[in-house]
Amino acid sequence: MPSSSTPAPTEPLLQIENLGVRLGGRQVLEGLDLSLESGVLCGLIGENGAGKTTLLRSILGLQRIASGTIRLAGGSVGKARDLVGYVPQKIAFDPQLPLRTRDLVELGLSGRHFGLPWRRRRYQAATKAALAAVGAEHFADQRLGRLSGGQQQRAVIAHALVREPRLLLLDEPLANLDFRSTTSLVQLLGTLVREHGLTVLVTAHDMNPLLPVLDRLVYLVGGRAATGTVDEVVRPDVLSGLYGYPVTVLRHHGRFLVLPDAPDGPGEMRHAGTELPPPSPREEA
Amino acid sequence: MFANYMLPTWIAASFLALAAGAIGYFTVIRRSVFAAHALPLSAFPGGAAAVLTGIDPMIGLLGFAFLGVVFVQQSSRLGPKDLAIGLLLSSFLALGALLLSLTGAYAPAVYALLFGEVLGIPHRELLPTAAVSLLVLAVTVLSFRPLLLQSAAADLATICGINRAGMEWLFLGLLAIVTATALPVVGTLLVFTLLVAPAAAAQRLSAHPARAFLISIALAELLVWSAIALSYWSNWPLGFFVGTLGAVLFVVLRGGGLLPSPSGIRARLSRRETSWHHGAGPNSGTRPDG
């Protein structure tokens, strides 16, 4: 699977400096800095419209940036495209589509090649490895459109992995998944990082399901970001600065709930207490 | 039925079905069936103009089919795509009607353009028809993988570096060529069936992309051969048989989807698929379905 060769230790895999993006006259991202080494799982957390997808598209080179730089393994975005795998949001396949999981994964390698569509042996070996990496062997020969959402998600991840990227971007992979699929997908992301040395950047509007595997966090509000470990970022002072108004951070059984400050109380970190109702684990934004 | 004067029809239709089955496969995967309805109608005035001016019908048909491609491509800017294409269809049909009325052509000529004509292929058109069909088939096969990925998951194809607009032009261009070539034989109103029915049925028969592609071509051949034979014996229009047999093919082979069973539908379907790969001659369409 993905090559575990690491870049020079001084050189991060992904380096973003002072990134600014404007869309239709609106500043979608502003002054964003982010540096990711190999083998890091980073969450990109923010509400709808916070600029998460725009950031991913900028890293993919699909988005014109207004200011700043993005470097991948020391090179420019366009040249390093093969280093990046991308799992877009809401991929849904038509139930009648004559395409099996195996075919989609193989197309990750062969899809851009014109010529006689014979099966190549090297495609098959890589396809098999990618299917194994995401645990998709048992539905490899099923029609994509008849798989569950979680299985389709895994198929698309394998499609991205088969090109052996070093950085994997996932856009809201946990949206529309049930609890069990969410847990197993989060575990899968952890495995890809720990065992295959991949760097993963995953967007979510709720950070909680990702907490068990998260190394780093980018908290996006209105195009501006706070970056660091969970403990460094998910704090009332940091987030209040980001939101521009006081917020409270509730912590309960290792989960967080970020709320606008109650008018009568200060925005301070409170620890789990019996007086707090259990936070709803998957707050839909 | 295989008399000398029928030979060009058999040969031309066989080549046409190769191209129609191939491009129809991608038409259905892309869900571009509306374009497959729009292009024949936009080519129709080209046929009428050829009758009026005496130019080669192939040139008139191709020219107007490509005009249709441009309109289909641009139509999304005018508003909702179905609305724009719907209006486009009517205007082209109207133009064709005007051109035909100006020619004062015999009713049979009009009728043939709309509904097809067994003897629609004169000897001199045979070679161009075969060449164009083989060309379309070859281009489709050589771009099979990029077209498949782009048709099934456009977003993923973009990430792979496949040019979205380029693929759309390629697909619509091939579709226009097949349309213009098939129109004199099958008729304006029924090219659609030849493109869509075998491909849709084939998707049902196999989940394997290449096998579904081959089945689509095989079913297209079966469809035109049966239609020619029936048309020869009955003296009814070829298009009638293409249209009705195509619909029957679609309903019989995709019928399972119309009758959902309460449980185990997935297991049943996958079992059916594996057993159909082998025995599934195109004739297996008469199976009882539940």
Side-chain angles (χ1 to χ4, degrees), chain A residues 60 62 81 86 88 93-94 96-100 103 107 110-118 123 143 146 156 159 163, chain B residues 29 31 141-146 148-149 152-153 156 158-160 162 167 203-204 206-209 212 254 266 269 273:
Chain A
L60 284 163
L62 297 176
R81 208 166 175 181
Y86 180 48
F93 295 97
D94 182 42
Q96 302 288 352
L97 195 65
L99 202 65
R100 304 161 303 168
D103 303 315
L107 281 172
S110 67
R112 73 177 95 169
H113 297 303
F114 290 81
L116 290 174
W118 310 136
Y123 293 153
R143 248 181 231 259
R146 301 224 177 93
V156 177
H159 166 92
R163 282 197 296 278
Chain B
I29 289 183
R31 298 167 149 261
V141 168
L142 289 177
S143 19
F144 187 79
R145 288 173 304 201
L148 179 61
L149 182 58
L156 297 182
T158 307
I159 303 304
C160 283
I162 298 169
M167 278 304 173
Q203 289 201 8
R204 180 80 186 193
S206 178
H208 187 301
R254 288 189 66 145
R266 186 173 302 177
L269 290 173
E273 268 151 28

Short mmCIF file of all heavy atoms in Angstrom, two decimals, chain A residues 60 62 81 86 88 93-94 96-100 103 107 110-118 123 143 146 156 159 163, chain B residues 29 31 141-146 148-149 152-153 156 158-160 162 167 203-204 206-209 212 254 266 269 273:
data_model
loop_
_atom_site.label_atom_id
_atom_site.label_comp_id
_atom_site.label_asym_id
_atom_site.label_seq_id
_atom_site.Cartn_x
_atom_site.Cartn_y
_atom_site.Cartn_z
N LEU A 60 -5.92 20.44 -3.57
CA LEU A 60 -5.97 19.62 -4.79
C LEU A 60 -5.58 20.41 -6.03
O LEU A 60 -5.44 19.84 -7.10
CB LEU A 60 -7.38 19.07 -4.98
CG LEU A 60 -7.78 17.91 -4.08
CD1 LEU A 60 -9.28 17.72 -4.07
CD2 LEU A 60 -7.08 16.64 -4.54
N LEU A 62 -7.56 22.59 -7.39
CA LEU A 62 -8.78 22.83 -8.15
C LEU A 62 -9.33 24.23 -7.88
O LEU A 62 -10.30 24.64 -8.50
CB LEU A 62 -9.85 21.80 -7.80
CG LEU A 62 -9.53 20.35 -8.13
CD1 LEU A 62 -10.63 19.43 -7.63
CD2 LEU A 62 -9.35 20.18 -9.63
N ARG A 81 0.33 16.41 -7.75
CA ARG A 81 -1.05 15.97 -7.68
C ARG A 81 -1.19 14.50 -7.30
O ARG A 81 -2.11 14.12 -6.58
CB ARG A 81 -1.70 16.20 -9.03
CG ARG A 81 -3.18 16.45 -8.93
CD ARG A 81 -3.66 17.00 -10.24
NE ARG A 81 -5.09 17.15 -10.20
CZ ARG A 81 -5.78 17.60 -11.22
NH1 ARG A 81 -5.16 17.93 -12.32
NH2 ARG A 81 -7.08 17.71 -11.15
N TYR A 86 -8.24 11.91 -2.90
CA TYR A 86 -9.37 12.73 -2.48
C TYR A 86 -10.64 11.89 -2.45
O TYR A 86 -10.95 11.17 -3.40
CB TYR A 86 -9.53 13.89 -3.46
CG TYR A 86 -10.67 14.84 -3.16
CD1 TYR A 86 -10.86 15.35 -1.89
CD2 TYR A 86 -11.54 15.25 -4.17
CE1 TYR A 86 -11.89 16.24 -1.62
CE2 TYR A 86 -12.56 16.14 -3.91
CZ TYR A 86 -12.74 16.64 -2.64
OH TYR A 86 -13.75 17.52 -2.38
N PRO A 88 -14.44 12.71 -2.21
CA PRO A 88 -15.39 13.82 -2.17
C PRO A 88 -16.59 13.49 -1.29
O PRO A 88 -16.82 12.36 -0.91
CB PRO A 88 -15.82 14.01 -3.62
CG PRO A 88 -15.16 12.96 -4.41
CD PRO A 88 -14.42 12.05 -3.50
N PHE A 93 -23.85 6.17 -5.99
CA PHE A 93 -23.84 5.49 -7.28
C PHE A 93 -25.24 4.97 -7.62
O PHE A 93 -25.96 4.51 -6.74
CB PHE A 93 -22.85 4.32 -7.25
CG PHE A 93 -21.44 4.76 -7.09
CD1 PHE A 93 -20.84 4.77 -5.84
CD2 PHE A 93 -20.70 5.21 -8.16
CE1 PHE A 93 -19.54 5.20 -5.67
CE2 PHE A 93 -19.40 5.65 -8.02
CZ PHE A 93 -18.82 5.64 -6.77
N ASP A 94 -25.57 5.07 -8.89
CA ASP A 94 -26.85 4.58 -9.37
C ASP A 94 -26.94 3.07 -9.14
O ASP A 94 -25.99 2.34 -9.43
CB ASP A 94 -26.94 4.90 -10.87
CG ASP A 94 -28.25 4.48 -11.45
OD1 ASP A 94 -29.27 4.70 -10.79
OD2 ASP A 94 -28.27 3.93 -12.57
N GLN A 96 -28.27 0.74 -10.71
CA GLN A 96 -28.17 -0.11 -11.89
C GLN A 96 -26.78 -0.05 -12.54
O GLN A 96 -26.52 -0.73 -13.52
CB GLN A 96 -29.20 0.31 -12.95
CG GLN A 96 -30.63 0.28 -12.49
CD GLN A 96 -31.13 -1.14 -12.34
OE1 GLN A 96 -30.46 -2.10 -12.70
NE2 GLN A 96 -32.31 -1.29 -11.76
N LEU A 97 -25.93 0.80 -12.01
CA LEU A 97 -24.63 1.02 -12.64
C LEU A 97 -23.85 -0.29 -12.77
O LEU A 97 -23.68 -1.00 -11.79
CB LEU A 97 -23.84 2.01 -11.78
CG LEU A 97 -22.62 2.67 -12.38
CD1 LEU A 97 -23.03 3.56 -13.52
CD2 LEU A 97 -21.92 3.48 -11.31
N PRO A 98 -23.39 -0.63 -13.98
CA PRO A 98 -22.64 -1.88 -14.12
C PRO A 98 -21.19 -1.68 -13.68
O PRO A 98 -20.28 -1.66 -14.48
CB PRO A 98 -22.73 -2.19 -15.62
CG PRO A 98 -22.87 -0.86 -16.26
CD PRO A 98 -23.55 0.04 -15.27
N LEU A 99 -21.01 -1.52 -12.39
CA LEU A 99 -19.68 -1.24 -11.86
C LEU A 99 -19.60 -1.87 -10.48
O LEU A 99 -20.42 -1.59 -9.62
CB LEU A 99 -19.49 0.27 -11.77
CG LEU A 99 -18.07 0.81 -11.73
CD1 LEU A 99 -17.34 0.53 -13.02
CD2 LEU A 99 -18.08 2.30 -11.45
N ARG A 100 -18.59 -2.73 -10.29
CA ARG A 100 -18.41 -3.35 -8.99
C ARG A 100 -17.35 -2.58 -8.21
O ARG A 100 -16.61 -1.79 -8.79
CB ARG A 100 -17.98 -4.81 -9.17
CG ARG A 100 -18.95 -5.63 -10.02
CD ARG A 100 -18.28 -6.87 -10.54
NE ARG A 100 -17.09 -6.52 -11.31
CZ ARG A 100 -16.18 -7.41 -11.71
NH1 ARG A 100 -16.32 -8.68 -11.42
NH2 ARG A 100 -15.13 -7.03 -12.40
N ASP A 103 -14.05 -2.75 -9.75
CA ASP A 103 -13.86 -1.96 -10.97
C ASP A 103 -13.54 -0.51 -10.64
O ASP A 103 -12.68 0.11 -11.26
CB ASP A 103 -15.10 -2.03 -11.86
CG ASP A 103 -15.46 -3.46 -12.21
OD1 ASP A 103 -14.55 -4.22 -12.58
OD2 ASP A 103 -16.65 -3.82 -12.09
N LEU A 107 -10.18 1.50 -11.59
CA LEU A 107 -10.24 2.73 -12.39
C LEU A 107 -9.44 3.86 -11.73
O LEU A 107 -9.05 4.82 -12.40
CB LEU A 107 -11.69 3.16 -12.60
CG LEU A 107 -12.45 2.39 -13.67
CD1 LEU A 107 -13.93 2.77 -13.66
CD2 LEU A 107 -11.87 2.66 -15.05
N SER A 110 -6.31 2.96 -13.61
CA SER A 110 -6.37 2.85 -15.07
C SER A 110 -7.27 3.90 -15.70
O SER A 110 -7.26 4.08 -16.91
CB SER A 110 -6.88 1.46 -15.46
OG SER A 110 -8.24 1.32 -15.07
N GLY A 111 -8.05 4.61 -14.87
CA GLY A 111 -9.11 5.47 -15.39
C GLY A 111 -8.66 6.56 -16.33
O GLY A 111 -9.40 6.98 -17.20
N ARG A 112 -7.45 7.03 -16.17
CA ARG A 112 -7.04 8.15 -17.03
C ARG A 112 -6.35 7.67 -18.31
O ARG A 112 -5.92 8.49 -19.11
CB ARG A 112 -6.14 9.09 -16.25
CG ARG A 112 -4.76 8.54 -16.00
CD ARG A 112 -3.92 9.56 -15.28
NE ARG A 112 -3.95 9.32 -13.86
CZ ARG A 112 -3.13 9.92 -12.99
NH1 ARG A 112 -2.28 10.80 -13.40
NH2 ARG A 112 -3.19 9.64 -11.72
N HIS A 113 -6.23 6.35 -18.47
CA HIS A 113 -5.49 5.84 -19.62
C HIS A 113 -6.41 5.47 -20.78
O HIS A 113 -7.32 4.66 -20.62
CB HIS A 113 -4.67 4.62 -19.22
CG HIS A 113 -3.63 4.94 -18.20
ND1 HIS A 113 -2.65 5.90 -18.42
CD2 HIS A 113 -3.42 4.47 -16.96
CE1 HIS A 113 -1.90 5.99 -17.35
NE2 HIS A 113 -2.34 5.15 -16.44
N PHE A 114 -6.16 6.07 -21.91
CA PHE A 114 -6.83 5.66 -23.14
C PHE A 114 -6.11 4.42 -23.67
O PHE A 114 -4.97 4.15 -23.30
CB PHE A 114 -6.79 6.78 -24.17
CG PHE A 114 -7.66 7.94 -23.80
CD1 PHE A 114 -7.23 8.90 -22.90
CD2 PHE A 114 -8.94 8.06 -24.32
CE1 PHE A 114 -8.03 9.97 -22.54
CE2 PHE A 114 -9.75 9.13 -23.97
CZ PHE A 114 -9.30 10.08 -23.08
N GLY A 115 -6.77 3.69 -24.51
CA GLY A 115 -6.15 2.49 -25.08
C GLY A 115 -7.04 1.29 -24.83
O GLY A 115 -8.10 1.40 -24.23
N LEU A 116 -6.61 0.16 -25.34
CA LEU A 116 -7.42 -1.04 -25.18
C LEU A 116 -7.58 -1.38 -23.70
O LEU A 116 -6.59 -1.42 -22.97
CB LEU A 116 -6.77 -2.21 -25.92
CG LEU A 116 -6.81 -2.10 -27.44
CD1 LEU A 116 -6.01 -3.21 -28.10
CD2 LEU A 116 -8.26 -2.11 -27.94
N PRO A 117 -8.81 -1.57 -23.27
CA PRO A 117 -9.06 -1.73 -21.83
C PRO A 117 -8.79 -3.14 -21.32
O PRO A 117 -9.62 -3.71 -20.62
CB PRO A 117 -10.54 -1.35 -21.70
CG PRO A 117 -11.14 -1.71 -23.00
CD PRO A 117 -10.05 -1.56 -24.03
N TRP A 118 -7.66 -3.70 -21.67
CA TRP A 118 -7.36 -5.02 -21.10
C TRP A 118 -6.99 -4.86 -19.65
O TRP A 118 -6.44 -3.85 -19.23
CB TRP A 118 -6.22 -5.71 -21.84
CG TRP A 118 -6.35 -5.76 -23.33
CD1 TRP A 118 -5.35 -5.50 -24.22
CD2 TRP A 118 -7.49 -6.09 -24.11
NE1 TRP A 118 -5.83 -5.63 -25.49
CE2 TRP A 118 -7.13 -5.98 -25.46
CE3 TRP A 118 -8.82 -6.42 -23.80
CZ2 TRP A 118 -8.02 -6.23 -26.50
CZ3 TRP A 118 -9.70 -6.66 -24.83
CH2 TRP A 118 -9.31 -6.58 -26.15
N TYR A 123 -2.33 -3.63 -12.34
CA TYR A 123 -3.55 -3.03 -11.81
C TYR A 123 -4.20 -3.96 -10.80
O TYR A 123 -4.67 -3.54 -9.76
CB TYR A 123 -4.56 -2.77 -12.93
CG TYR A 123 -4.16 -1.72 -13.93
CD1 TYR A 123 -4.65 -1.77 -15.23
CD2 TYR A 123 -3.32 -0.67 -13.58
CE1 TYR A 123 -4.30 -0.80 -16.17
CE2 TYR A 123 -2.98 0.30 -14.50
CZ TYR A 123 -3.46 0.22 -15.80
OH TYR A 123 -3.13 1.18 -16.71
N ARG A 143 -22.17 -4.94 -6.94
CA ARG A 143 -22.47 -3.67 -7.59
C ARG A 143 -22.36 -2.53 -6.59
O ARG A 143 -22.95 -2.60 -5.51
CB ARG A 143 -23.91 -3.71 -8.11
CG ARG A 143 -24.06 -3.72 -9.59
CD ARG A 143 -25.53 -3.75 -9.93
NE ARG A 143 -25.80 -4.82 -10.87
CZ ARG A 143 -25.97 -4.62 -12.17
NH1 ARG A 143 -25.94 -3.40 -12.66
NH2 ARG A 143 -26.19 -5.62 -12.96
N ARG A 146 -25.55 -0.92 -5.00
CA ARG A 146 -26.38 -1.67 -4.05
C ARG A 146 -25.71 -1.79 -2.70
O ARG A 146 -26.21 -2.47 -1.82
CB ARG A 146 -26.66 -3.06 -4.62
CG ARG A 146 -27.37 -3.00 -5.96
CD ARG A 146 -28.52 -3.98 -6.04
NE ARG A 146 -29.22 -3.84 -7.32
CZ ARG A 146 -28.92 -4.56 -8.39
NH1 ARG A 146 -28.00 -5.48 -8.31
NH2 ARG A 146 -29.57 -4.38 -9.51
N VAL A 156 -14.74 4.18 -2.33
CA VAL A 156 -14.15 5.41 -2.87
C VAL A 156 -12.78 5.67 -2.22
O VAL A 156 -11.85 6.13 -2.88
CB VAL A 156 -15.10 6.61 -2.66
CG1 VAL A 156 -14.45 7.89 -3.15
CG2 VAL A 156 -16.40 6.39 -3.41
N HIS A 159 -10.44 3.51 -3.98
CA HIS A 159 -10.20 4.12 -5.30
C HIS A 159 -9.13 5.20 -5.20
O HIS A 159 -8.28 5.36 -6.09
CB HIS A 159 -11.52 4.69 -5.83
CG HIS A 159 -11.40 5.62 -6.98
ND1 HIS A 159 -11.47 5.21 -8.28
CD2 HIS A 159 -11.20 6.96 -7.03
CE1 HIS A 159 -11.33 6.25 -9.08
NE2 HIS A 159 -11.17 7.33 -8.35
N ARG A 163 -3.76 4.69 -5.99
CA ARG A 163 -2.67 5.46 -6.64
C ARG A 163 -1.53 5.72 -5.67
O ARG A 163 -0.61 6.44 -6.00
CB ARG A 163 -3.21 6.79 -7.17
CG ARG A 163 -3.97 6.65 -8.46
CD ARG A 163 -4.11 7.99 -9.16
NE ARG A 163 -4.91 8.94 -8.41
CZ ARG A 163 -6.22 8.97 -8.41
NH1 ARG A 163 -6.89 8.11 -9.12
NH2 ARG A 163 -6.88 9.86 -7.69
N ILE B 29 -25.34 5.01 -18.75
CA ILE B 29 -24.54 5.20 -17.53
C ILE B 29 -24.48 6.68 -17.16
O ILE B 29 -24.57 7.04 -16.00
CB ILE B 29 -23.11 4.65 -17.74
CG1 ILE B 29 -23.15 3.13 -17.80
CG2 ILE B 29 -22.19 5.10 -16.61
CD1 ILE B 29 -21.80 2.49 -17.92
N ARG B 31 -26.70 8.77 -17.75
CA ARG B 31 -28.07 9.29 -17.62
C ARG B 31 -28.30 10.44 -18.60
O ARG B 31 -28.94 11.43 -18.28
CB ARG B 31 -28.35 9.72 -16.19
CG ARG B 31 -28.24 8.55 -15.23
CD ARG B 31 -28.21 8.98 -13.81
NE ARG B 31 -28.82 7.96 -12.96
CZ ARG B 31 -30.06 8.02 -12.53
NH1 ARG B 31 -30.82 9.03 -12.84
NH2 ARG B 31 -30.54 7.06 -11.79
N VAL B 141 -14.15 2.09 -27.61
CA VAL B 141 -13.37 1.06 -26.92
C VAL B 141 -12.05 1.65 -26.40
O VAL B 141 -11.65 1.40 -25.26
CB VAL B 141 -13.09 -0.13 -27.86
CG1 VAL B 141 -12.05 -1.06 -27.26
CG2 VAL B 141 -14.38 -0.90 -28.10
N LEU B 142 -11.42 2.49 -27.22
CA LEU B 142 -10.13 3.05 -26.81
C LEU B 142 -10.26 4.06 -25.67
O LEU B 142 -9.32 4.27 -24.91
CB LEU B 142 -9.42 3.70 -28.01
CG LEU B 142 -8.90 2.71 -29.05
CD1 LEU B 142 -8.29 3.44 -30.23
CD2 LEU B 142 -7.88 1.75 -28.45
N SER B 143 -11.42 4.68 -25.56
CA SER B 143 -11.60 5.61 -24.42
C SER B 143 -12.49 4.99 -23.35
O SER B 143 -13.08 5.71 -22.54
CB SER B 143 -12.17 6.95 -24.88
OG SER B 143 -12.77 6.86 -26.12
N PHE B 144 -12.55 3.66 -23.35
CA PHE B 144 -13.50 2.98 -22.46
C PHE B 144 -13.31 3.37 -21.00
O PHE B 144 -14.25 3.75 -20.31
CB PHE B 144 -13.36 1.47 -22.63
CG PHE B 144 -14.40 0.67 -21.91
CD1 PHE B 144 -15.67 0.54 -22.43
CD2 PHE B 144 -14.13 0.08 -20.69
CE1 PHE B 144 -16.63 -0.19 -21.78
CE2 PHE B 144 -15.09 -0.66 -20.02
CZ PHE B 144 -16.35 -0.79 -20.56
N ARG B 145 -12.07 3.29 -20.51
CA ARG B 145 -11.85 3.50 -19.08
C ARG B 145 -12.09 4.95 -18.65
O ARG B 145 -12.82 5.19 -17.68
CB ARG B 145 -10.44 3.03 -18.70
CG ARG B 145 -10.35 1.51 -18.74
CD ARG B 145 -8.96 1.01 -18.54
NE ARG B 145 -8.03 1.58 -19.53
CZ ARG B 145 -6.87 1.03 -19.84
NH1 ARG B 145 -6.48 -0.06 -19.24
NH2 ARG B 145 -6.10 1.59 -20.74
N PRO B 146 -11.50 5.94 -19.37
CA PRO B 146 -11.81 7.32 -18.96
C PRO B 146 -13.30 7.65 -19.08
O PRO B 146 -13.86 8.29 -18.20
CB PRO B 146 -10.98 8.16 -19.94
CG PRO B 146 -9.90 7.26 -20.40
CD PRO B 146 -10.47 5.89 -20.40
N LEU B 148 -15.79 5.57 -18.86
CA LEU B 148 -16.54 4.84 -17.82
C LEU B 148 -16.43 5.57 -16.49
O LEU B 148 -17.43 5.83 -15.82
CB LEU B 148 -15.99 3.41 -17.69
CG LEU B 148 -16.65 2.53 -16.64
CD1 LEU B 148 -18.12 2.35 -16.93
CD2 LEU B 148 -15.96 1.18 -16.55
N LEU B 149 -15.20 5.94 -16.12
CA LEU B 149 -15.02 6.62 -14.83
C LEU B 149 -15.73 7.97 -14.84
O LEU B 149 -16.40 8.34 -13.89
CB LEU B 149 -13.53 6.79 -14.53
CG LEU B 149 -13.21 7.44 -13.19
CD1 LEU B 149 -13.82 6.66 -12.04
CD2 LEU B 149 -11.71 7.57 -12.99
N ALA B 152 -19.54 7.40 -14.67
CA ALA B 152 -20.06 6.82 -13.44
C ALA B 152 -19.86 7.75 -12.25
O ALA B 152 -20.72 7.84 -11.38
CB ALA B 152 -19.39 5.47 -13.16
N ALA B 153 -18.73 8.45 -12.21
CA ALA B 153 -18.43 9.31 -11.07
C ALA B 153 -17.61 10.49 -11.56
O ALA B 153 -16.38 10.46 -11.53
CB ALA B 153 -17.67 8.53 -9.99
N LEU B 156 -14.86 11.99 -9.24
CA LEU B 156 -13.64 11.19 -9.08
C LEU B 156 -12.78 11.28 -10.33
O LEU B 156 -11.56 11.30 -10.25
CB LEU B 156 -14.01 9.73 -8.81
CG LEU B 156 -14.79 9.47 -7.52
CD1 LEU B 156 -15.05 7.98 -7.34
CD2 LEU B 156 -14.02 10.00 -6.33
N THR B 158 -12.49 13.84 -12.34
CA THR B 158 -11.79 15.12 -12.33
C THR B 158 -10.52 15.03 -11.49
O THR B 158 -9.47 15.54 -11.87
CB THR B 158 -12.71 16.22 -11.76
OG1 THR B 158 -13.94 16.19 -12.48
CG2 THR B 158 -12.09 17.58 -11.90
N ILE B 159 -10.63 14.37 -10.34
CA ILE B 159 -9.47 14.22 -9.46
C ILE B 159 -8.37 13.41 -10.15
O ILE B 159 -7.19 13.65 -9.97
CB ILE B 159 -9.88 13.52 -8.15
CG1 ILE B 159 -10.98 14.30 -7.46
CG2 ILE B 159 -8.69 13.37 -7.22
CD1 ILE B 159 -10.66 15.72 -7.18
N CYS B 160 -8.80 12.43 -10.98
CA CYS B 160 -7.82 11.61 -11.69
C CYS B 160 -7.16 12.38 -12.83
O CYS B 160 -6.30 11.85 -13.52
CB CYS B 160 -8.48 10.36 -12.27
SG CYS B 160 -8.81 9.09 -11.06
N ILE B 162 -8.96 13.68 -15.45
CA ILE B 162 -9.72 13.54 -16.69
C ILE B 162 -10.52 14.81 -16.93
O ILE B 162 -11.23 15.28 -16.04
CB ILE B 162 -10.66 12.32 -16.62
CG1 ILE B 162 -9.85 11.04 -16.45
CG2 ILE B 162 -11.54 12.23 -17.86
CD1 ILE B 162 -10.68 9.84 -16.11
N MET B 167 -14.50 15.15 -22.12
CA MET B 167 -15.23 13.88 -22.16
C MET B 167 -16.67 14.08 -22.63
O MET B 167 -17.23 13.27 -23.35
CB MET B 167 -15.23 13.25 -20.77
CG MET B 167 -13.97 12.49 -20.49
SD MET B 167 -13.76 11.29 -21.77
CE MET B 167 -12.24 10.62 -21.47
N GLN B 203 -27.27 -3.51 -18.67
CA GLN B 203 -26.83 -3.15 -17.32
C GLN B 203 -27.46 -4.06 -16.29
O GLN B 203 -26.90 -4.32 -15.24
CB GLN B 203 -27.24 -1.71 -17.01
CG GLN B 203 -26.47 -0.72 -17.78
CD GLN B 203 -26.50 0.64 -17.13
OE1 GLN B 203 -26.99 0.81 -16.03
NE2 GLN B 203 -25.98 1.61 -17.84
N ARG B 204 -28.67 -4.48 -16.62
CA ARG B 204 -29.38 -5.36 -15.71
C ARG B 204 -28.73 -6.75 -15.69
O ARG B 204 -28.73 -7.43 -14.68
CB ARG B 204 -30.83 -5.46 -16.18
CG ARG B 204 -31.70 -6.33 -15.37
CD ARG B 204 -32.12 -5.58 -14.13
NE ARG B 204 -32.85 -6.45 -13.24
CZ ARG B 204 -33.55 -6.02 -12.21
NH1 ARG B 204 -33.60 -4.74 -11.97
NH2 ARG B 204 -34.16 -6.85 -11.43
N SER B 206 -25.53 -7.70 -16.32
CA SER B 206 -24.20 -7.92 -15.78
C SER B 206 -23.73 -6.70 -15.00
O SER B 206 -23.95 -5.57 -15.42
CB SER B 206 -23.20 -8.21 -16.90
OG SER B 206 -21.92 -8.39 -16.35
N ALA B 207 -23.08 -6.96 -13.87
CA ALA B 207 -22.49 -5.87 -13.09
C ALA B 207 -21.06 -5.62 -13.54
O ALA B 207 -20.40 -4.70 -13.08
CB ALA B 207 -22.50 -6.22 -11.60
N HIS B 208 -20.58 -6.44 -14.44
CA HIS B 208 -19.21 -6.35 -14.93
C HIS B 208 -19.19 -5.35 -16.08
O HIS B 208 -19.87 -5.53 -17.08
CB HIS B 208 -18.79 -7.74 -15.40
CG HIS B 208 -17.34 -7.84 -15.76
ND1 HIS B 208 -16.77 -7.07 -16.73
CD2 HIS B 208 -16.36 -8.63 -15.29
CE1 HIS B 208 -15.50 -7.37 -16.84
NE2 HIS B 208 -15.22 -8.32 -15.96
N PRO B 209 -18.42 -4.25 -15.96
CA PRO B 209 -18.53 -3.18 -16.96
C PRO B 209 -18.27 -3.64 -18.39
O PRO B 209 -19.03 -3.28 -19.30
CB PRO B 209 -17.49 -2.16 -16.51
CG PRO B 209 -16.85 -2.68 -15.30
CD PRO B 209 -17.47 -3.96 -14.89
N ALA B 212 -21.11 -6.00 -19.58
CA ALA B 212 -22.33 -5.25 -19.85
C ALA B 212 -22.21 -4.51 -21.19
O ALA B 212 -23.17 -4.41 -21.95
CB ALA B 212 -22.61 -4.26 -18.72
N ARG B 254 -35.65 -5.82 -17.33
CA ARG B 254 -35.54 -5.00 -16.13
C ARG B 254 -36.76 -5.14 -15.26
O ARG B 254 -36.90 -4.46 -14.25
CB ARG B 254 -35.32 -3.53 -16.49
CG ARG B 254 -33.92 -3.35 -17.02
CD ARG B 254 -33.50 -1.94 -17.22
NE ARG B 254 -33.39 -1.15 -16.01
CZ ARG B 254 -32.47 -0.21 -15.85
NH1 ARG B 254 -31.58 0.00 -16.77
NH2 ARG B 254 -32.44 0.51 -14.77
N ARG B 266 -31.37 -8.44 -2.53
CA ARG B 266 -29.99 -8.28 -2.94
C ARG B 266 -29.36 -9.65 -3.26
O ARG B 266 -28.71 -9.83 -4.28
CB ARG B 266 -29.19 -7.58 -1.85
CG ARG B 266 -27.78 -7.27 -2.28
CD ARG B 266 -27.07 -6.43 -1.26
NE ARG B 266 -27.78 -5.18 -1.01
CZ ARG B 266 -27.38 -4.29 -0.11
NH1 ARG B 266 -26.32 -4.54 0.61
NH2 ARG B 266 -28.04 -3.19 0.07
N LEU B 269 -30.70 -10.95 -6.47
CA LEU B 269 -30.17 -10.25 -7.65
C LEU B 269 -28.75 -10.68 -7.95
O LEU B 269 -28.41 -10.90 -9.09
CB LEU B 269 -30.23 -8.73 -7.41
CG LEU B 269 -31.64 -8.17 -7.39
CD1 LEU B 269 -31.63 -6.71 -6.98
CD2 LEU B 269 -32.30 -8.32 -8.76
N GLU B 273 -27.43 -12.46 -11.27
CA GLU B 273 -26.38 -11.93 -12.12
C GLU B 273 -25.32 -12.98 -12.45
O GLU B 273 -24.91 -13.12 -13.58
CB GLU B 273 -25.70 -10.75 -11.44
CG GLU B 273 -26.34 -9.44 -11.81
CD GLU B 273 -26.20 -8.44 -10.70
OE1 GLU B 273 -25.23 -8.53 -9.94
OE2 GLU B 273 -27.08 -7.56 -10.59
#
